[in-house]
Amino acid sequence: MPHRYTGLVEAYRNRLPISAEARAISLGEGNTPLIELDNLVRDVGFGGRILVKYEGLNPTGSFKDRGMTVAVTQAVDEGARAVICASTGNTSAAAAAYAARAGITALVVVPDGKIAAGKLAQAVMHGAVIVQIEGNFDAGMRLVKEVGETSPVTIVNSINPYRLQGQKTAAFEIVDALGAAPDYHCLPVGNAGNITAHWIGYTEAIGQGTPACAFCAGDCRAPHPAMTDRRPVMLGFQASGSAPFMRGGPVADPDTVATAIRIGDPQSWEPAHVVQKESGGWFDELSDEEILDTQAKLAEREGVFCEPASAASLAGALRDIKRGKIADGSTVVCTLTGHGLKDPEIAMRGALDHIVKVPAERGAIADLLAKKMA
């Protein structure tokens, strides 16, 4: 009998804190490719493996779909008729899509002038109620929390523990694909929920329950049979203009071209520090120039187009390989959190300078091709 993949709720229902009867609100998310890099590995002379988990191939183009399918499934099962979130873009797109799928209302709070057009377009097309505030993401998050205290609406930001439960499944997929956990796992860090969620997944993959009650959804998972015998060192990378983990506290006015991680007051601050300590990992920061350079190199050298924030994970990994902080011969996984088409304005900066104009003649095309191949 042919098997049709129907999304991660059904794929991992026995590892999620949702009822067996809950109707899965799914768009077929998860099961994203783990792509091994070749050219960039040779470029840096690395004797190990670098693989990218391409979360941009989820239904709305980002990893947020993993958490949203579980959060909205649980919300609907509890009788919710509306969900709300603050967002720099990707969360709003995912919340709007899954709310539409469920037949409920989505209200998204976005910062004024601080959201990529590709992401805002998704929320618009999915029929969300969009509220643009005169303030940044952190201000929006405070408002959402206040509304959630008094209104009959479910918050679907990463403070919702079901979000992290969905996002932990990426770790299961990586272990399944590699046959073991990688030596290092690198992620971009904004609100810090995703690095926390991956640690939950890796911890459960070694046969332990949820690592701490602060991470769970009020129903601590019993241990499952081990999928691997070790967990990776977890590395989190922030943009220099939005690096509260490197500054030791909230950043009042975060600023970076990597809009998805333009967050100055992470909601998963404490859990992320637990991950760092338990895994023996570290946080670091990258300039916007380093992030954009890596985004371009990944697209040009490997054919993988990710949004700027995603490139922070690979940029950090490549830099730490060059510095010797990541041991040669290691297996390194970098999460690419969103697709490049999420933020086309950044990609198109200076793009017209690379377009070559020639006469509409075969010879002109042939001559250009010969020159480029020489």
Side-chain angles (χ1 to χ4, degrees), residues 37-41 43-44 52 289-306 311 314-315 318-319 322 336:
L37 304 185
D38 297 316
N39 299 319
L40 289 178
V41 172
D43 290 348
V44 297
V52 292
E289 291 73 22
E290 289 176 296
I291 290 171
L292 293 178
D293 181 63
T294 301
Q295 180 197 28
K297 285 180 178 176
L298 181 61
E300 293 169 2
R301 299 286 288 144
E302 300 286 358
V304 179
F305 184 25
C306 67
L314 180 59
L318 293 173
R319 191 173 68 184
K322 292 175 183 176
L336 303 181

Side-chain angles (χ1 to χ4, degrees), residues 66-317:
R66 286 186 184 273
M68 205 59 69
T69 183
V70 179
V72 176
T73 292
Q74 180 65 20
V76 170
D77 193 50
E78 293 176 352
R81 297 175 58 191
V83 296
I84 187 173
C85 69
S87 178
T88 57
N90 284 329
T91 299
S92 67
Y98 283 84
R101 181 72 166 167
I104 62 177
T105 299
L107 191 151
V108 302
V109 178
V110 299
D112 184 15
K114 299 287 187 178
I115 180 171
K119 302 172 185 179
L120 186 58
Q122 289 179 286
V124 170
M125 291 301 293
H126 292 309
V129 178
I130 302 169
V131 179
Q132 202 163 40
I133 62 168
E134 296 177 355
N136 59 22
F137 169 84
D138 301 308
M141 194 67 239
R142 288 193 294 272
L143 287 169
V144 164
K145 287 180 176 179
E146 291 171 5
V147 171
E149 290 176 355
T150 58
S151 300
V153 63
T154 298
I155 299 174
V156 290
N157 283 101
S158 58
I159 61 171
N160 181 324
Y162 292 95
R163 275 278 309 276
L164 302 189
Q165 288 292 311
Q167 289 164 215
K168 76 181 180 184
T169 60
F172 299 157
E173 291 180 6
I174 290 165
V175 171
D176 278 339
L178 295 178
D183 298 305
Y184 299 87
H185 191 132
C186 306
L187 295 102
V189 172
N191 224 16
N194 208 25
I195 193 169
T196 303
H198 277 74
W199 193 241
I200 295 172
Y202 283 124
T203 299
E204 293 184 6
I206 62 172
Q208 294 185 19
T210 301
C213 288
F215 298 166
C216 77
D219 177 19
C220 294
R221 300 287 83 197
H224 286 265
M227 303 168 65
T228 181
D229 60 359
R230 59 187 172 88
R231 297 179 291 183
V233 176
M234 303 294 290
L235 313 183
F237 296 98
Q238 299 196 290
S240 294
S242 180
F245 284 99
M246 302 305 296
R247 305 291 174 263
V251 174
D253 189 20
D255 185 30
T256 172
V257 71
T259 57
I261 54 174
R262 188 188 282 157
I263 296 171
D265 189 10
Q267 298 299 302
S268 295
W269 178 276
E270 292 300 331
H273 277 296
V274 172
V275 173
Q276 177 193 11
K277 181 179 178 181
E278 290 187 354
S279 75
W282 57 86
F283 295 107
D284 209 338
E285 62 185 284
L286 298 141
S287 68
D288 281 359
E289 291 73 22
E290 289 176 296
I291 290 171
L292 293 178
D293 181 63
T294 301
Q295 180 197 28
K297 285 180 178 176
L298 181 61
E300 293 169 2
R301 299 286 288 144
E302 300 286 358
V304 179
F305 184 25
C306 67
E307 69 172 318
S310 297
S313 61
L314 180 59

